[in-house]
Amino acid sequence: ETGAVYNIANETEETTVVELANKIASAVNRTVCFQAQDKTENCKQYLQTPRVPLDVTALQKLGWTPKVSLWDGIMRTYNYNITEHHA
């Protein structure tokens, strides 16, 4: 639908932001360094729920289902960028 917003998520592959960053870094042979803020400092800025699932119901009603694993998606994106920008 024009103007509609859809969440895209794969409920079978849960990952954190840190895990995602490490996977992307691994795909490009890099390392990632993190400096996490102490959660007791400014505690209200942190989400109290450790996981917030995205609602993909609207997209599923259109027939969408995840077909590519997270790792394959990272590698396809990386390889596409290498091919397109270095050809």
Side-chain angles (χ1 to χ4, degrees):
E1 275 182 52
T2 301
V5 177
Y6 299 96
N7 289 318
I8 298 176
N10 184 342
E11 290 295 315
T12 64
E13 275 190 277
E14 192 171 312
T15 191
T16 67
V17 172
V18 171
E19 290 168 344
L20 179 60
N22 281 321
K23 286 177 184 183
I24 293 169
S26 175
V28 297
N29 295 317
R30 301 275 193 252
T31 56
V32 179
C33 297
F34 297 96
Q35 183 176 4
Q37 183 179 7
D38 181 9
K39 287 186 179 183
T40 59
E41 181 182 329
N42 299 320
C43 191
K44 291 179 184 172
Q45 293 179 3
Y46 287 90
L47 199 59
Q48 298 302 316
T49 307
R51 181 181 183 279
V52 179
L54 295 175
D55 182 3
V56 295
T57 306
L59 203 54
Q60 288 173 331
K61 286 180 181 177
L62 297 175
W64 178 86
T65 59
K67 293 185 174 122
V68 176
S69 71
L70 177 59
W71 180 252
D72 286 344
I74 290 169
M75 293 309 298
R76 286 181 183 194
T77 301
Y78 175 70
N79 289 329
Y80 174 81
N81 284 326
I82 292 299
T83 302
E84 290 298 311
H85 295 106
H86 297 286

